[in-house]
Amino acid sequence: MGTLVDLADWLPMDVDIWAWVGETQQQLSEAGNVGLAMALGDLPAQAYEGRYPQLDVMAPAIAQQAEALELPWLEFYARYWHLIGRVGDRAQGAVAVEDAQQLLAFAQREDVRECPSVPAAVEALALAWANADGPGYASERLETLAAYIEGMSPEKPAFAGLATQYVAALVDAGKPGEAVTYAESAVERLRVAGREASWELGAESARALLAAGRPEDALTALQAAAEFQPDDPVAKEHRDGVRRALILAELGRDAEAVDALPDLDVVGEHPRVFVEWSRAVSRLAGSSQITNTWQLGRVLRQWIDYFGMMGGYRARVELALIAGDLAVARLGVWQARLLADLAESGTAELRDTEGLPERIAALRAAADAATEPEAPGAPEDRVGRFDAADGFNADPEKWVGWLAPLSGEDLEATRRHTTTLGFLGYPATGADIYWKLLVDSGKIGEADSDDVAYLTTLLIEARQDERLEQMAALLPHGEQQIALARLHSARERWAEALDAAEHAVAAGAGIEARRLAAGAAQQLDQNAKAAQVLLEVMDELTDEDVWRMIVMATSAEDWDTVRKGAAKIGMPIKSKEGPIEEEMGLIRVILPAPDGGQRQVLSIRTGPATARLALPQPRGMDYNAGDLVVFDPQLLEPVPDDPEEQQNFVPPFAAVSILRPGGYTSYFFDGVAPSEEDWAEFTEVMAERGWPMWVYSDENYKITHPTSGEPLPGVFGWVAVPPDVSPEEVDALLDDATERWVHPLAWLDLAREIDVEVERHERIVKEYGL
């Protein structure tokens, strides 16, 4: 669970809000809602550390519970951190604007407006607008921010964040000089108030200086900002590196710029810096250390699509123009022309297009003036040369240009050309060519199944669903249903996918239809049907198919099918019928945690895809020791190569579902660690009764002696008992097992549950500060 100290590291929220969060966590824990308390403390870290799958699940869940509990501050807190996780590092634009506006409206409610963090909602809205179209929303950003900054004391934690956004809005409004002046004034106001500027404010000041044509001063400002504390500590290093590289490149100090520029594998997870990083790379592409390759073009194309989905319309156009210039430089003329088209179409989404038509025209002119690389060999040899090309060293971008004259006429050339277009990020272009060859010609009904599959893939990737349905209507029934099943599966419409796949199976469409049917049925929790559809063609299944069938059959408790699958892959099962309950060694089962993360639970494997959890879990969890779980038998980590490491390796597998709960109940204990002899006796008593116990504390857990004040080693954990054991029995055993310890152990929750010696346990907790 996050503590007040941990939480206070995350700005720009007011210190008062963190005190409130800590109190709320304590109240939730005492009320038995441990999961919610844990998740509450972890939200800021999820937002800043990029744990977005957790954040996207947990934040709305907390907000919903807060609404039900009529805790509006808590609801605001959860909604704010979710929004920051979206408009911050993920740089979501238009898709987040309405949510940001709603959060600001919520913050102005009578029962919320006194929350110290309300100004943070203004900052979030300014970020969403900037992500969508910075220059286009500049006036709205300035007006909204000014209304909150005016009269705000720089002593307030929100001041630096709002000032940073105001500087950014001035730069986007084409007023870099004013932005520099405002930034300097904000830094000075903070200094007078006894507070330091944030790194973000310093870095935005550097951006304003660069926009004002003062790169030397920009570098000085960024270096000075390095000493400031960041609002987003996780992102500071790579953001600073990107901005530093851009400034150094502007100064012509290419070697230093390249050294400062973070690698692609670092920035690839941070959309907020995509555009700035691409600008820096574009300026440095002529250096010997930065290679302008087709791989770079492919990555930029993926980023363009990302911003298209997230409503980052300005970033989408900017990246298209940058990528287009880079494509021209490496003579990828066909790609430069497509990127110019993309940039032009993207301007329709912008509120301010000043200067963009001229840049697009310049890109087109550069593409027209470029000379494409000479194609290898005669046209009739090109397909053969493509197939013979080295898969590691061949340049697919060049091959798209070389195959283009044949594509749409020659079927083999079309296959290679269009699929390569799709690989490079242009599925719609490939689909157009294939469509003309197969559909417009009227030949689709007699087309080879591979060609139908290729075109289907291109249409799915291009998100041309209506066109795919139009094509499917022209196909024989089996292929029609497979195409529709693939479309529905890609869009996660599982009921429709299952219906189409079953029709394809009935039409004899083959193993692919069965895989689609099984996958859709599994998603719909129809595991018996999913397993059966694969079992019917057991001899045609790959090992991967068999394992999938085993998981589905296990979930349906179809043990006969599980045994058939195990025999197929050569896994011995001792029993001949009924549930499979064997000891097959220890594994780690990966299960979801209440904070949206994951927990690794040591378990005993009992079958090909089943395991029994061996460790007790805290109250409020959806699983506990004794539960029988289904897991996916695909290893999540490779087996170590080192023989010694192999001996200690406990393989991890992802949980699929709880097959049968064990009904165990967990009880928490906490206190000073006893002597080794006493602890060994304690654990032996638990083991004799078959009560799983696990210590969650480590050597760093210390407890203060109530009289001397000396630190003592502490211990806390959980013990789980089967359903036939009463709480009174647990209390009696714990009392008997620990009565001779020098320092008492506390189990306050259990004492309260049975109303036995509650005051004694409360006194222990208070005196020892548990």
Side-chain angles (χ1 to χ4, degrees), residues 249 252 254-255 257-258 261 278-293 296 325-326 329-330:
D254 288 4
V258 170
L261 190 68
S278 301
R279 284 185 182 136
V281 166
S282 181
R283 292 172 185 247
L284 297 169
S287 73
S288 58
Q289 294 170 275
I290 298 289
T291 307
N292 182 10
T293 64
L296 174 61
D325 290 337
L326 288 166
R330 62 178 182 268

Side-chain angles (χ1 to χ4, degrees), residues 191-361:
R191 187 193 65 77
V192 171
R195 295 190 62 230
E196 190 178 72
S198 65
W199 175 85
E200 285 78 4
L201 179 55
E204 203 58 36
S205 175
R207 175 175 171 248
L209 286 162
L210 184 63
R214 298 165 57 186
E216 287 284 2
D217 293 336
L219 184 59
T220 300
L222 190 63
Q223 289 169 339
E227 303 302 318
F228 300 158
Q229 289 297 315
D231 290 345
D232 183 347
V234 178
K236 177 185 175 182
E237 184 176 358
H238 68 258
R239 292 186 69 194
D240 180 84
V242 169
R243 188 149 296 174
R244 189 177 301 271
L246 186 60
I247 296 170
L248 288 167
E250 182 69 23
L251 289 167
R253 294 159 60 174
D254 288 4
E256 295 173 75
V258 170
D259 288 341
L261 190 68
D263 291 337
L264 180 58
D265 60 355
V266 173
V267 301
E269 300 298 320
H270 305 290
R272 174 163 47 181
V273 297
F274 283 177
V275 173
E276 202 164 29
W277 185 89
S278 301
R279 284 185 182 136
V281 166
S282 181
R283 292 172 185 247
L284 297 169
S287 73
S288 58
Q289 294 170 275
I290 298 289
T291 307
N292 182 10
T293 64
W294 67 264
Q295 290 95 334
L296 174 61
R298 185 169 184 254
V299 168
L300 296 185
R301 186 67 183 88
Q302 292 168 349
W303 292 356
I304 290 167
D305 285 343
Y306 172 83
F307 284 118
M309 291 186 293
M310 295 297 120
Y313 301 131
R314 175 71 55 168
R316 182 170 179 256
V317 172
E318 284 291 326
L319 280 175
L321 290 167
I322 294 169
D325 290 337
L326 288 166
V328 169
R330 62 178 182 268
L331 302 181
V333 175
W334 66 267
Q335 186 167 190
R337 288 175 175 144
L338 288 176
L339 288 164
D341 292 343
L342 192 154
E344 185 172 43
S345 66
T347 59
E349 305 285 355
L350 301 179
R351 296 157 61 102
D352 180 354
T353 62
E354 183 178 352
L356 292 176
E358 293 80 6
R359 292 173 63 189
I360 294 168

